[in-house]
Structures are given as structure tokens and as C-alpha cells.
Amino acid sequence: GPPEQPAPHTGEFENPVTGIVAPARLDYTYTPGRAQSDHLDALAERKVVGERCPRCHKVYVPPRGACPTCGIATTEHVEVGPRGTVTTFCVVNIKARNLDIDVPYVYAHIALDGADLALHARIGGIPYDRVRMGLRVEPVWTEGAPHPDHYRPTGEPDADYDTYKELL
Ligand SMILES: [Zn+2]
């Protein structure tokens, strides 16, 4: 039949599309460079290695090859940890797809002994509502993993606030 004449639309749809599934895949080629390569090589031996700034003496973990404060190269390797202190944390209540961890669980900033930056990791081996600032923790490795699966309490007394307040 003859084509319909264009007419103004109300903006209302009988079956509106509210979402679509669009599978995506992103492949990356990452070149870690000298400092991070050394860090990754040490992790393969279950050690955590950072680098100390020759001027301000801060130990960066993971190392980026230069001190962002002083703007000079860092080259001195420093092994830190394996134990550390929870400086701050959050309770995760949303289950992530593809992540086989029951909620709630705790994700924390951990200052490894000897490091001047906190890294982050999951805390296990303790009820989520018992985790606290100052909690002393140690890594738990699983076979073949490139980094600790999580950190668990060591049983040591909590660290004094003054020992980690600069690392929050
Ligand atoms: Zn520095």
C-alpha cells in the first residue's frame, strides 16, 4: 500500500529496549619496565621488593622507577614485608561477577613492614566485622598464583596508630 505519512511521535513505546548485552574483549600488551619487572620477578619467588628514594628515603611498593616527590630515579632494592598492618579498609557487600568470594568480605590497605606506601588486598581468616585499623596481617599464597590470594591476621598485638598514620 501507499507509505504512511510521517507523524509526530509521542516518545512512548510499547516494548521499550532497556538494555542490551554486548560481549567485549580487550587485550593488552603491557611493558612493565625495569623497576616493575624487578618487582614482578621477586613476586615469582614470593618476595615483595620496592625501591628506596636516595633523597627522601621513602620505599615505594610497587616501584615505578622514580620518586614522584623528588623527581629522581630510585634504584636501591628493598625487600619489604611479608607482614604488614591494615591502615584502613572497607566491607564489600556487592558480589562481583566472575569472583568466587562470598560477601561480605573486607578489602584493606596494607602497609607492609618497611614500605612507605600501602597496597591493597583482601583480608581473610577473620570475620569481616572483626577487621580493624592496626590489625597485623601476613600473606596467604596459593599454588601458582602471581601474588598473595589474601592476607590473614598474624595474632600479633595491633600496631600503634602512630606507626602507620602517615600511610593512610
Ligand atoms: Zn624522594
Side-chain angles (χ1 to χ4, degrees):
E4 284 181 34
Q5 289 299 308
H9 196 276
T10 62
E12 303 282 326
F13 294 89
E14 216 172 284
N15 296 303
V17 176
T18 58
I20 61 169
V21 176
R25 176 181 165 155
L26 299 171
D27 293 321
Y28 293 91
T29 301
Y30 177 70
T31 305
R34 178 199 56 79
Q36 286 197 72
S37 291
D38 291 347
H39 176 75
L40 293 170
D41 288 345
L43 272 182
E45 296 171 18
R46 299 192 173 186
K47 293 177 185 169
V48 180
V49 169
E51 287 186 352
R52 189 191 319 273
C53 172
R55 184 177 294 163
C56 71
H57 307 295
K58 275 192 174 177
V59 174
Y60 292 99
V61 181
R64 303 291 186 210
C67 175
T69 304
C70 304
I72 56 176
T74 56
T75 54
E76 183 194 347
H77 284 200
V78 180
E79 188 175 336
V80 300
R83 293 184 168 193
T85 299
V86 171
T87 62
T88 187
F89 64 92
C90 70
V91 178
V92 178
N93 286 294
I94 299 171
K95 188 160 176 59
R97 208 185 284 183
N98 304 329
L99 205 56
D100 191 24
I101 302 170
D102 291 334
V103 293
Y105 65 89
V106 171
Y107 211 69
H109 278 210
I110 299 165
L112 294 181
D113 294 349
D116 290 297
L117 270 185
L119 49 78
H120 29 91
R122 186 170 61 88
I123 303 295
I126 179 173
Y128 73 93
D129 56 358
R130 300 279 311 280
V131 176
R132 55 205 180 263
M133 294 169 73
L135 181 69
R136 296 284 296 155
V137 292
E138 64 189 1
V140 176
W141 295 83
T142 51
E143 194 56 43
H147 50 74
D149 179 68
H150 64 276
Y151 283 73
R152 67 179 172 209
T154 63
E156 296 167 276
D158 286 1
D160 190 66
Y161 179 69
D162 284 338
T163 64
Y164 63 86
K165 67 181 180 185
E166 302 297 330
L167 298 169
L168 291 175

